[in-house]
Amino acid sequence: MSLKVFINGKLLPQEEAKISVFDHGLLYGDGVFEGLRSHQGRVFKLTEHLERLHESARAIFLKVPMGTKDLKHAIFATLRANNMKDSYIRLVVTRGVGKLGLEPGKCSNPQVIIITDTIQLYPPKLYEKGIDILTVATVRNHPESINPRIKCLNYMNNILAKTEGINAGATEALMLNKDGFVAECTGQNIFLIKGNELYTPHGNSGILKGITRDTVIELAKAKGIKVREDFLTRYDLYIAEQCFLTGTAAQIIPVVKIDGRVVGDGKPGHTTLELLEEYRSLLTNPEVSEVEEELEAGYIRP
Ligand code: PXG
């Protein structure tokens, strides 16, 4: 059975789910997106993801043509159409069809696209063994150019870094910001642990403020671990006792080697594994994961 994709209120078989070649999402990477996950039918931090989508859109002068509640119902409708309870959800809003030439004012009908599928960034055994990461030459976008806090459709910065990392034999690439401080990996935030303290780059270090990042910060605080959002150097990483990456797709993945230096004893850290377990059990927790029945009625389904 072919996957159903939501485009502007219609659920279409994936072969028919198409948008125009004149859409500025394609022509210029002009649009925003979100990556979410559902577990046992519950969508993790749905409200937070939609808030970030609206903030990204606001920053690029894009009006999302659907409100939060309608977007929520559309996501659940897509999951239902695909009979999916555990999935990776890609929500995309493009600028819409326009003329050749950048001017967004000449575009009409932003396209709202929802794909529910699966994603596996790393093989499961790497969650037990840990991964190696490497600092690459491509610097994270300057915040006064394209602020990395905007989750926009132009991911060339990240794609270049990822390719450089892979070409050099690393599993994941680490990007520094324009001042040489640690920013993030290509689709994951980074954390380190030293003593009873958890460190992660400051929100204005040139990072996407990840929703998994926020979740891990909350989990750590609840465990009595002191959390510091700071400007970090590669040296801070080299002397860390534990290190891990976070993201909706990656979840929490331990890092055991950074630029050729072994982290701690070369095995995934104890606290890292505890946080991973706690994070996984949160995914189906009704306090943070939404299900459609809990939304009020009143939406006409596509
Ligand atoms: N940094 C960047 C640059 C990201 O794109 C994260 C951090 C983690 O954020 P969350 O909110 O997920 O904890 C991301 C997340 C995909 C895909 O193919 C999306 C991301 C990463 C990797 C793949 O949809 N975005």
Side-chain angles (χ1 to χ4, degrees):
M1 199 191 77
S2 119
L3 207 66
K4 297 273 195 315
V5 177
F6 177 100
I7 302 188
N8 292 337
K10 291 203 184 91
L11 281 161
L12 300 167
Q14 73 180 70
E15 301 75 26
E16 291 164 36
K18 294 178 178 154
I19 62 160
S20 166
V21 293
F22 288 97
D23 192 306
H24 279 209
L26 173 72
L27 289 175
Y28 301 114
D30 188 356
V32 293
F33 77 105
E34 274 300 319
L36 308 89
R37 256 184 200 276
S38 76
H39 296 269
Q40 299 173 18
R42 291 189 174 271
V43 181
F44 185 65
K45 299 231 168 170
L46 176 55
T47 300
E48 288 82 348
H49 277 283
L50 294 180
E51 252 169 42
R52 189 170 67 183
L53 180 86
H54 281 106
E55 287 173 1
S56 295
R58 172 180 281 266
I60 68 158
F61 304 91
L62 174 65
K63 190 170 174 345
V64 180
M66 291 171 71
T68 298
K69 195 171 147 208
D70 287 351
L71 283 170
K72 286 185 178 181
H73 281 292
I75 287 171
F76 287 118
T78 314
L79 286 170
R80 207 170 33 250
N82 290 305
N83 203 12
M84 272 187 156
K85 292 212 178 306
D86 299 288
S87 90
Y88 183 74
I89 303 159
R90 167 59 70 85
L91 170 58
V92 182
V93 186
T94 72
R95 183 76 66 182
V97 169
K99 296 244 168 276
L100 291 179
L102 297 180
E103 209 180 317
K106 291 194 177 148
C107 297
S108 55
N109 292 332
Q111 303 286 294
V112 178
I113 301 163
I114 302 167
I115 303 168
T116 59
D117 205 345
T118 52
I119 194 169
Q120 197 197 62
L121 290 197
Y122 311 108
K125 72 170 193 319
L126 288 186
Y127 287 81
E128 287 155 35
K129 275 177 54 184
I131 61 168
D132 67 305
I133 64 172
L134 185 77
T135 310
V136 293
T138 295
V139 165
R140 191 72 176 105
N141 282 336
H142 192 304
E144 298 309 327
S145 168
I146 304 175
N147 196 314
R149 285 174 64 177
I150 306 171
K151 203 160 165 59
C152 75
L153 288 182
N154 187 327
Y155 254 47
M156 191 49 67
N157 185 217
N158 315 55
I159 292 166
L160 291 178
K162 181 97 187 175
T163 310
E164 287 168 7
I166 288 170
N167 287 349
T171 308
E172 187 51 66
L174 175 67
M175 304 174 84
L176 305 180
N177 69 16
K178 52 146 178 108
D179 298 316
F181 289 110
V182 173
E184 60 182 340
C185 289
T186 60
Q188 305 81 20
N189 294 113
I190 188 162
F191 284 84
L192 69 88
I193 296 176
K194 200 163 191 301
N196 193 33
E197 292 186 335
L198 180 73
Y199 295 81
T200 195
H202 189 275
N204 289 326
S205 292
I207 62 165
L208 181 81
K209 277 185 92 179
I211 285 163
T212 322
R213 174 184 180 274
D214 288 346
T215 308
V216 164
I217 289 173
E218 282 165 26
L219 284 173
K221 284 182 180 164
K223 286 166 82 67
I225 299 171
K226 197 159 180 191
V227 178
R228 291 180 189 271
E229 297 176 60
D230 208 342
F231 292 88
L232 304 176
T233 64
R234 286 194 298 153
Y235 176 71
D236 294 315
L237 289 175
Y238 298 159
I239 60 169
E241 289 155 9
Q242 301 179 43
C243 178
F244 59 88
L245 310 182
T246 65
T248 301
Q251 301 194 335
I252 296 175
I253 183 134
V255 173
V256 291
K257 208 183 246 187
I258 306 168
D259 296 342
R261 281 98 166 159
V262 172
V263 180
D265 61 2
K267 297 200 184 86
H270 176 68
T271 323
T272 304
L273 295 176
E274 269 181 24
L275 286 167
L276 173 59
E277 205 179 302
E278 288 171 25
Y279 168 78
R280 285 193 169 142
S281 66
L282 259 194
L283 293 175
T284 47
N285 183 329
E287 279 177 37
V288 282
S289 285
E290 294 179 33
V291 71
E292 187 167 37
E293 291 73 47
E294 288 161 10
L295 294 171
E296 26 175 328
Y299 174 75
I300 300 151
R301 256 185 231 153

